[in-house]
Amino acid sequence: EDQVTQSPEALRLQEGESSSLNCSYTVSGLRGLFWYRQDPGKGPEFLFTLYSAGEEKEKERLKATLTKKESFLHITAPKPEDSATYLCAVQGGGYQKVTFGTGTKLQVIP
Amino acid sequence: GAGVSQTPSNKVTEKGKYVELRCDPISGHTALYWYRQSLGQGPEFLIYFQGTGAADDSGLPNDRFFAVRPEGSVSTLKIQRTERGDSAVYLCASSRDGNSNEQYFGPGTRLTVT
């Protein structure tokens, strides 16, 4: 069974203080690893898909990286508007089921 | 264009009652997913539709849960004999097709069973 573990559960940063969120996973034949952002009371918002170890993707202050066992979401010089819960998910080969982690709740203090 | 919409946004029902939750996907998206999210947890996969057919219903917790998508667009999640443990936010997502990994989520329906 696919598993996703995210750490830390919560992270509090000062504005401008860079950090990384971790996503460890086990999956049978990785089809894709996804990062989503979720604001309170809203559905998840797609950020990135990573397909193979060594791949990296960037969007504004966010950069996602992937190894065979984990993914990192690096946040550079965060701003208060980056405050949200960040979800990691995986999809194995041959099926459509997507397994999510429990998320990291990020708070960026001005 | 319009995103994924879900109705109602909130639903309160009594234990044992029947409920229907509706999802309107993005126009033209053939793949549709239902998830359930409890407080402090990530979304939990329930069912996946490709067109009108349920291609993967392995996440449905028991036979009280059923979903349809008769015309390949709007989908309805149906829960019979609701239990307090069914209380959660029910999320719907759509993607262009089954090969697209980018899922667009709706705002969810918050179901409370009293």
Side-chain angles (χ1 to χ4, degrees), chain A residues 31-32 34 36 38 41-46 49 51 87 91 95-103, chain B residues 33 35 37 40-45 48 56 58 91 98-108:
Chain A
R31 179 174 170 182
F34 316 103
Y36 286 84
Q38 187 171 28
K42 296 189 177 182
E45 175 188 349
F46 174 82
T49 303
Y51 297 99
L87 295 165
Q91 186 178 41
Y95 50 88
Q96 293 292 336
K97 177 181 178 179
V98 176
T99 300
F100 280 81
T102 55
Chain B
Y33 306 78
Y35 295 85
Q37 187 173 26
Q41 302 296 312
E44 173 193 5
F45 171 84
Y48 157 69
D56 184 349
S58 62
L91 294 164
N99 294 317
S100 172
N101 292 314
E102 188 169 336
Q103 295 186 22
Y104 296 86
F105 281 81

Side-chain angles (χ1 to χ4, degrees), chain B residues 7-79:
Chain B
T7 53
S9 55
N10 281 282
K11 176 70 176 179
V12 181
T13 191
E14 293 180 348
K15 179 176 178 294
K17 298 290 188 183
Y18 168 84
V19 296
E20 290 189 351
L21 311 179
R22 176 187 169 109
C23 171
D24 277 273
I26 292 172
S27 178
H29 280 196
T30 61
L32 186 146
Y33 306 78
W34 282 99
Y35 295 85
R36 176 169 71 175
Q37 187 173 26
S38 300
L39 192 63
Q41 302 296 312
E44 173 193 5
F45 171 84
L46 295 176
I47 188 169
Y48 157 69
F49 286 90
Q50 179 55 48
T52 60
D56 184 349
D57 64 357
S58 62
L60 294 178
N62 51 60
D63 60 5
R64 295 187 298 104
F65 288 75
F66 189 72
V68 296
R69 195 185 184 199
E71 297 179 356
S73 178
V74 170
S75 177
T76 304
L77 179 65
K78 307 180 180 190
I79 310 174

Side-chain angles (χ1 to χ4, degrees), chain A residues 42-44, chain B residues 3-6 91-94 104-108:
Chain A
K42 296 189 177 182
Chain B
V4 177
S5 62
Q6 293 186 245
L91 294 164
C92 175
S94 71
Y104 296 86
F105 281 81

